[in-house]
Amino acid sequence: MSEAETTASPTGRFRASSVGTSHAISIFAGIVFWGWLTTRWLNDWVLARLGIGPGAGENFVPREPFDAAAGSAIEAAERFSIGGLPFEWLNSLLETAGVAVLGWLGALLDTAGVAVGIAPALAGAAWYTILLTVISIALGFSIAVPLAVIRVYGGPLKWPALAYTELIRGTPLIAQLFVLYYGLPLAVWLQDTTLIGYGTIPEQAFWIAIIGFTINGSAYQAEYIRGALESVDEGQLTAARALGLSQIDGIRYVVLPQTLRYAIPAWTNELVYLLKYSSLAGFITVPELYNVASDIANSTFEFTAIFGLLAVVYLGLVLTATNIMSRVESYVAIPGIGAVEGRQQGDS
Amino acid sequence: MTDSQIDRSSRTDRGTDAEPSPLLRIEDLRKSYGDEEVLRGVDLEIERGDVEVLVGPSGSGKSTLLRCVNRLTEVDGGHIYLGDVDVCAPDTDPNEIRQQIGMVFQDINLFAHLTARENVMLGLRRVKGMDKEPALERAEEELDRVGLGDQVDSYPAQLSGGQKQRVGIARALAMDPELMLFDEPTSALDPELSNGVLDVMSKLVADGMTMLVVTHEMRFARGGATGITFLDKGEVVERGPPEQLFENPEKERTAEFFQSISHE
C-alpha cells in the first residue's frame, strides 16, 4: 500500500497537497465513525442505566423525519406534472426528469431512514465483531509464534506442527465452527460454567467462536511468521550462537525480534481477514455485525440500505486496523529491517 | 604498510612451565559433507599469544576448520582441545566453549535490529548475565577500543562495512575470549575499508591476543602472524614462521600458491 502511494505520486507538490487533503478527510471520517461508535456504547451501557439520554438502543437521531420526507418526496413524484410550456416535448422531458429526481430523492431518504433505524443495533454488533477479532488475533498470535519456531527449528517436531497447520488451513472455517459448536460437548460445558452468559459476559457461542478463530488464525499466522523467520539471515543465529547463546535464546533475542518486524505487513493482512471472516460467527448465533444486519434485512427486506451501511461499518473497522498497524510498523521500524527500509524514508 | 609491522616485544611470554599445554590443540581433525572430505586429518597447535594465519585456496577447508573449533560445525573425527578441555566430547557444553572463543565472520552478521552498543551488550547480558549498567559501560569501552565510541547508537544499516566489522570484533572481545577466530574478516569489504579493521586486529596482536585468522591479507600475515599454515584440499601442506613460507617454502604447492596470490 505504501508502495502504491509512493509510486503513484508524480510530483512533490501534487503529492503533498493530495496527501494533506486525504489525510484531513480520513481523520474527519475516523472521528465521525469512532465518535458514533463510542457515544453509542457509552449511551447503551452506561448512560441508559443511569437514566440519562434516550435510553439503550434508542436512536439519537429520530427516524420519523426521514421517513416522512421520503414519503412526501415519493408522493410529490407521483403528482408531479408540468404544463403550460409552449412545446409539448419540453413539457414531457422536464416532467420525466422531475419525476426521476424526486423518486431518487425519496429512495435516498428512505435508505437514510432505514440506516438511522438500524444504526443502534449495528453499533452494538460492531462491539462483538471487534471483541471477537482482537481476542482471537491475540490468542492466535501466541500460538502461532511457537508453532512457527517449531516449524523452522523444531527438528522432527516440525511434522506435528505441519500436520496441524495443514489440517486447519485445509478445512473450511465454517465447518470448524460447526464442529466446535454442534459436534463437540463444548457448548454444554461452557453453558454450565458459572460466569458465561451472565451480566456483560457473552454467551457460550461467543467463546466457541473465539476458540474457532484462535485455532484457525493461529495456523495462518504461523505460516506468515514462518516465512518471516526464514527470511532472517542464517548468519544472525550463527553469530548469536558463537557468542554462547543457546539456540532458544538466540531465536528469542536475535531472530524473533527481526522476524516479527518482517511479519507485520502479512500479519496485518490476517487481521483484516479476521475482521471480516468473524462474520461466520453469525452462523453459530453470535450477534456480531453480519448476524444482526442479516436478521434485520430478512425481516424488513431493506437489503440495499442495511448491507450498504454494514459495508461502511466493516470498512471503517478495516481502515482503522490497517492504519493502526502501519503506525505500529513505523514505530518499531529499524533501519535495515522489514518493509520500511529505504522506500518510506522520504515519505514522512 | 607500517601499521601492520607489529612491535612484538610487549607481548606476553608463552610456553612457561605453568602452562604446559598449548591453548588450542587440534589432532587429526576430519570432516566430510556427504562424499566430500573437507578436512582430512588436520593437526595444529596454538600457544597462548600466538597469531596463526590460515591460508589456502578456496575450498581448502579453512573456514570449516574455524567453525569446528567452536563447534558451529560438528566434527566427524579427531580431537580439539581448548586448554585441557576436549571441545568435541559429548558432555562438553558448546555454549561454555563458545564463551571462551570469540568469532568474527566474513559476512559480519551484526544483529540487524540492535544498535552497535546493544550488539556488544547482548552477550554480556544474556550469556554472562551482567546487569544493564555495567554491560552498557563495558560495551561503550569496547566500541571505544575499536574506534567507534561516537557510533554507539547507530544501527548496522547506518554503518559502513568496515565500521560494522569493527563492531563485530568489539562484540566478540567484550566476552573476554581466550582465543579469537577471524574468518576472512576483510574479504567482504572494499580495500580502503579493510584498513580500519586490520588496524584493530594489529592492535589485538600487540596486546597479546591469541588469534586464529583466515585471511587473504598477506600484509597482515607478514606483519602480524607468528605462524602461517598453508592448507590445501583439507590437509596441512606446510606450516612455519611467515618468513619461511613467504621466502623459502619447502613444498612446491606452497610456492605456487604464494606466487598466484602475489599476482592479484
Side-chain angles (χ1 to χ4, degrees):
Chain A
M1 4 162 204
S2 55
E3 204 166 23
E5 225 173 70
T6 339
T7 49
S9 44
T11 65
R13 194 183 300 171
F14 170 72
R15 183 172 109 185
S17 70
S18 72
V19 163
T21 317
S22 68
H23 191 63
I25 291 172
S26 69
I27 286 178
F28 176 73
I31 290 171
V32 169
F33 181 70
W34 284 100
W36 165 62
L37 277 181
T38 49
T39 326
R40 208 56 252 180
W41 295 334
L42 187 72
N43 176 69
D44 290 2
W45 301 331
V46 183
L47 298 181
R49 281 179 204 183
L50 301 173
I52 306 169
E58 297 299 323
N59 284 327
F60 293 149
V61 182
R63 182 182 170 169
E64 287 71 30
F66 290 95
D67 287 345
S72 4
I74 290 164
E75 218 176 293
E78 278 164 5
R79 283 184 292 140
F80 190 78
S81 66
I82 288 175
L85 285 170
F87 304 104
E88 186 55 29
W89 62 267
L90 194 60
N91 270 336
S92 71
L93 184 73
L94 285 176
E95 195 173 307
T96 313
V99 167
V101 167
L102 282 169
W104 176 79
L105 194 68
L108 189 73
L109 285 164
D110 186 54
T111 303
V114 173
V116 166
I118 65 159
L122 285 192
W127 173 247
Y128 273 96
T129 293
I130 293 167
L131 220 53
L132 277 174
T133 306
V134 171
I135 298 176
S136 307
I137 198 98
L139 292 177
F141 179 73
S142 63
I143 297 174
V145 171
L147 198 63
V149 169
I150 290 169
R151 274 293 299 281
V152 179
Y153 298 103
L157 282 177
K158 81 174 186 194
W159 297 113
L162 178 69
Y164 172 88
T165 310
E166 293 304 339
L167 177 71
I168 300 302
R169 287 200 310 165
T171 52
L173 175 55
I174 187 76
Q176 293 167 9
L177 287 177
F178 282 161
V179 166
L180 286 170
Y181 189 62
Y182 298 113
L184 300 179
L186 211 59
V188 181
W189 291 343
L190 283 170
Q191 198 153 34
D192 292 343
T193 312
T194 331
L195 287 172
I196 303 284
Y198 291 89
T200 52
I201 299 171
E203 306 254 345
Q204 73 271 18
F206 173 84
W207 300 105
I208 287 172
I210 294 265
I211 295 170
F213 293 147
T214 299
I215 293 173
N216 191 269
S218 71
Y220 284 94
Q221 290 187 57
E223 281 302 286
Y224 292 134
I225 295 169
R226 180 181 69 88
L229 270 176
E230 285 170 350
S231 72
V232 173
D233 188 81
E234 212 182 328
Q236 295 283 311
L237 187 57
T238 307
R241 305 227 61 194
L243 281 177
L245 268 83
S246 63
Q247 188 181 38
I248 195 78
D249 279 348
I251 291 169
R252 180 174 161 199
Y253 295 115
V254 174
V255 180
L256 274 181
Q258 301 183 36
T259 298
L260 297 183
R261 287 181 170 93
Y262 281 126
I264 289 174
W267 192 84
T268 305
N269 214 20
E270 177 62 17
L271 179 64
V272 167
Y273 273 129
L274 183 55
L275 258 173
K276 289 173 294 177
Y277 65 59
S278 68
S279 60
L280 291 179
F283 291 93
I284 57 166
T285 74
V286 179
E288 49 68 58
L289 273 172
Y290 175 77
N291 178 290
V292 167
S294 69
D295 269 3
I296 301 172
N298 286 334
S299 55
T300 60
F301 298 104
E302 296 276 7
F303 291 99
T304 313
I306 290 170
F307 284 111
L309 186 63
L310 180 69
V312 171
V313 177
Y314 272 117
L315 193 64
L317 294 178
V318 166
L319 290 179
T320 306
T322 51
N323 199 300
I324 290 173
M325 287 318 294
S326 89
R327 274 161 208 272
V328 168
E329 194 180 346
S330 42
Y331 180 74
V332 300
I334 275 167
I337 302 265
V340 183
E341 183 179 10
R343 282 202 259 116
Q344 292 194 341
Q345 272 174 7
D347 230 32
S348 55
Chain B
M1 243 4 213
T2 46
D3 41 59
S4 52
Q5 302 295 326
I6 310 302
D7 172 22
R8 268 202 218 104
S9 58
S10 64
R11 296 177 54 170
T12 45
D13 286 336
R14 52 194 144 82
T16 57
D17 292 341
E19 292 170 350
S21 62
L23 179 63
L24 182 71
R25 195 165 89 243
I26 298 172
E27 287 176 359
D28 194 33
L29 190 67
R30 291 173 182 280
K31 174 71 191 174
S32 307
Y33 291 116
D35 288 339
E36 200 194 340
E37 274 191 290
V38 185
L39 297 172
R40 321 172 177 217
V42 171
D43 297 290
L44 193 65
E45 280 189 7
I46 298 178
E47 306 283 346
R48 278 167 214 282
D50 268 0
V51 177
E52 187 74 27
V53 170
L54 283 176
V55 297
S58 65
S60 57
K62 300 163 296 191
S63 294
T64 307
L65 179 59
L66 282 199
R67 294 171 67 97
C68 286
V69 171
N70 64 357
R71 276 184 63 177
L72 286 177
T73 298
E74 294 295 336
V75 306
D76 292 339
H79 293 280
I80 300 171
Y81 297 94
L82 184 71
D84 297 326
V85 181
D86 184 353
V87 172
C88 306
D91 56 341
T92 304
D93 179 4
N95 295 334
E96 292 285 326
I97 296 294
R98 289 173 190 149
Q99 288 181 48
Q100 298 163 46
I101 301 177
M103 187 158 190
V104 175
F105 301 89
Q106 176 177 4
D107 36 14
I108 308 173
N109 295 334
L110 286 192
F111 306 132
H113 63 303
L114 299 177
T115 62
R117 180 172 33 209
E118 290 165 341
N119 261 277
V120 182
M121 279 172 71
L122 187 77
L124 297 174
R125 299 269 287 130
R126 305 298 171 197
V127 178
K128 294 206 174 233
M130 274 170 83
D131 287 332
K132 196 174 177 185
E133 280 304 314
L136 209 108
E137 277 169 33
R138 180 66 202 271
E140 287 177 2
E141 271 171 42
E142 289 299 339
L143 286 168
D144 224 22
R145 203 167 137 189
V146 297
L148 290 172
D150 54 343
Q151 297 280 1
V152 291
D153 287 318
S154 301
Y155 284 96
Q158 296 164 328
L159 296 170
S160 75
Q163 290 173 323
K164 274 193 263 196
Q165 192 55 288
R166 278 144 68 194
V167 176
I169 294 173
R171 176 172 72 178
L173 287 176
M175 302 297 284
D176 289 320
E178 290 191 68
L179 170 68
M180 284 284 286
L181 306 175
F182 289 85
D183 188 3
E184 306 201 23
T186 56
S187 300
L189 306 178
D190 289 339
E192 75 268 25
L193 298 177
S194 313
N195 289 332
V197 174
L198 292 173
D199 287 348
V200 169
M201 288 171 68
S202 301
K203 246 190 266 172
L204 282 181
V205 173
D207 290 346
M209 175 60 76
T210 313
M211 295 157 68
L212 183 53
V213 184
V214 174
T215 186
H216 297 297
E217 287 285 348
M218 288 307 132
R219 285 179 302 154
F220 177 81
R222 228 180 251 275
T226 47
I228 292 185
T229 300
F230 173 56
L231 214 61
D232 189 18
K233 299 194 175 82
E235 288 169 321
V236 175
V237 176
E238 190 169 353
R239 187 179 176 214
E243 306 78 43
Q244 180 198 320
L245 265 82
F246 281 117
E247 314 301 339
N248 295 306
E250 283 170 10
K251 301 275 170 54
E252 186 69 15
R253 270 154 83 193
T254 317
E256 280 170 14
F257 175 75
F258 282 114
Q259 195 119 62
S260 71
I261 60 170
S262 69
H263 288 306
E264 274 175 10

